[in-house]
Amino acid sequence: MKTIKLFFTSLMLLSSSGIFSQNPADRDTTFNMHVPIAVGQFSGATLYKNIAIQPDGKVIYVGGFFHFGSSYSGIMRLNTDGTYDNTFNASGVGANAIVAAVAIQSDGKILIGGSFTQYNGISRPNIARLNANGSLDTTFVVGTGAPSIYAPSVRSIVVQPDGKILIAGSFTNYNGTAIAGIARLNADGTLDNTFNPGTGPSHIIEVIKLLPSGKIVVGGRFGSFNGVNNEGVTLLNSDGSSDASFSCDVQVSGTSPVYDIKIQNDGKLLVVGAFNRYGSNANGSNNGIIRLNTDGSVDNSFTVGTAATTGSSNGSGFVYAVDVQNDGKIIIVGNFDKYNLVDRGGVARLNSDGTLDSSFDSNPGFDGSAYDVVVNSATQHIYVANGGGNYQGEDLFNYHTQFSGHNRDIIRLFGDAGPTSIKDNKKIENIVVYPNPFTSSLTISNESIHNKIKAINVFNQLGEQISIKQNDTNTINTNNLKSGIYFIQVLFEDNSVISQKIIKQ
């Protein structure tokens, strides 16, 4: 048997954001969504899974799921550890159809939009505001709401700094007043008549974003807006009129739209969707992602190669959502197998120039699509809403019986959060792990004179975590482990960490 003595300086583990004992694309198993399976999905619900993170770290999750007679039809809230928050809308029954959009106001109230006609049994056609506890805010009155023949009617919501609310989607009027695709509401839910988009978009709007200047970026399935030939993306002034300085030609259609837009700090636009080219570019080198300059032209410094592709023939992939980390790196999710011909399985991290960040190794990724991604700017964790049942070989559905169980529709990836940070980079930590390879037991002994062991964790190759008792000398019974490769993580009281591969014979 072999004894391994580990000497690590903290400097060996440093990165720009701290230390990492795991791949930043790995699932953070301390966030474990554990919600009883929904009865089913509303018709047309596939694309609609969206996330919003409250300032306290709780997660609002909306979509097309339903569980009749319970509070989480179309919307639920998760605690910071992923468990179901049963205090949210505790006495209600939720929405009666898809909730496709969500936004959180500065006062904690929650705006939702979609194809529902009721919330908690009260008429609210396609748009509603909830109190912070999930109950209906009856002071927000929408009348006949935002009707449309294309569901969901309301697909994107943005709250302005002045409290007014932008909504967008496929509606043709708001509370009986003709207005197409995009409208601005006052804080009480009434229509703001100072906002006039003219004839609006020629097809459905999927996403709206607000620039710091007050101008509005709009993306979707349209080829023109108010008679101006801006395809896929357009820019509006704060009063709803078209900004003549912006010209765009992202080639979209009813089945290959722009799905999401992220405004960078420099004002450039990261645009993602199901398109594969800009203008007359017949090479299809913009599969699902492109960056635009502030005037709508292509930013040629953003180099994506073949970008998001799917299938053995590397067909055009769909990118459903995008977000940006504090350091400028870009997270994309969608229905794609590869990014620039490297296997990524529906989630990838890009450098700020569009090239693939190889340190974020999500392969094999999801076995289905991922529909939304949000980076928590406070912690740098990455939250993903997935449509598959598997991530990196791990089953995300836990069966209790043949017909019931718990879904992990929302998972959290470590990202740049990491489990720890370094307080003193001059310390040398020293542990002994023996025997290795091991059979029935494994001992971890701390020989550091500086630090005590705070916790020990063991992970299998799928990222599943086993917590071990916490003291300085730990003999672990490993009879229940199958033969194979595992990883041990030792966390010290100063939050420094050591990791090591171990082998069960």
Side-chain angles (χ1 to χ4, degrees), residues 168-190:
S170 58
F171 53 86
T172 56
N173 72 83
Y174 183 82
N175 196 18
T177 300
I179 190 164
I182 184 169
R184 187 164 62 199
L185 312 182
N186 296 308
D188 62 357
T190 57

Side-chain angles (χ1 to χ4, degrees), residues 130-289:
L130 315 182
N131 295 308
N133 65 0
S135 63
L136 183 67
D137 178 5
T138 56
T139 69
F140 188 80
V141 180
V142 303
T144 58
S148 170
I149 60 173
Y150 299 108
S153 291
V154 177
R155 305 185 182 204
S156 190
I157 303 174
V158 171
V159 182
Q160 295 187 167
D162 63 1
K164 291 186 177 183
I165 300 152
L166 290 163
I167 63 171
S170 58
F171 53 86
T172 56
N173 72 83
Y174 183 82
N175 196 18
T177 300
I179 190 164
I182 184 169
R184 187 164 62 199
L185 312 182
N186 296 308
D188 62 357
T190 57
L191 186 66
D192 177 5
N193 292 310
T194 67
F195 184 84
N196 183 9
T199 58
S202 59
H203 207 339
I204 296 168
I205 295 174
E206 295 289 345
V207 58
I208 49 174
K209 298 288 181 176
L210 188 66
L211 288 165
S213 64
K215 292 185 178 183
I216 302 155
V217 180
V218 179
R221 304 170 190 260
F222 53 85
S224 64
F225 191 99
N226 196 20
V228 178
N229 290 327
N230 275 337
E231 186 160 353
V233 181
T234 197
L235 183 67
L236 307 181
N237 295 307
S238 60
D239 62 359
S241 61
S242 296
D243 185 332
S245 70
F246 189 90
S247 179
C248 180
D249 197 13
V250 176
Q251 295 287 293
V252 298
S253 70
T255 57
S256 57
V258 166
Y259 281 119
D260 197 12
I261 297 171
K262 181 69 178 181
I263 301 169
Q264 295 189 163
N265 290 336
D266 59 4
K268 292 183 178 182
L269 307 178
L270 285 163
V271 179
V272 301
F275 54 85
N276 65 3
R277 63 191 177 97
Y278 184 97
S280 61
N281 177 11
N283 295 324
S285 59
N286 299 112
N287 290 320
I289 184 168

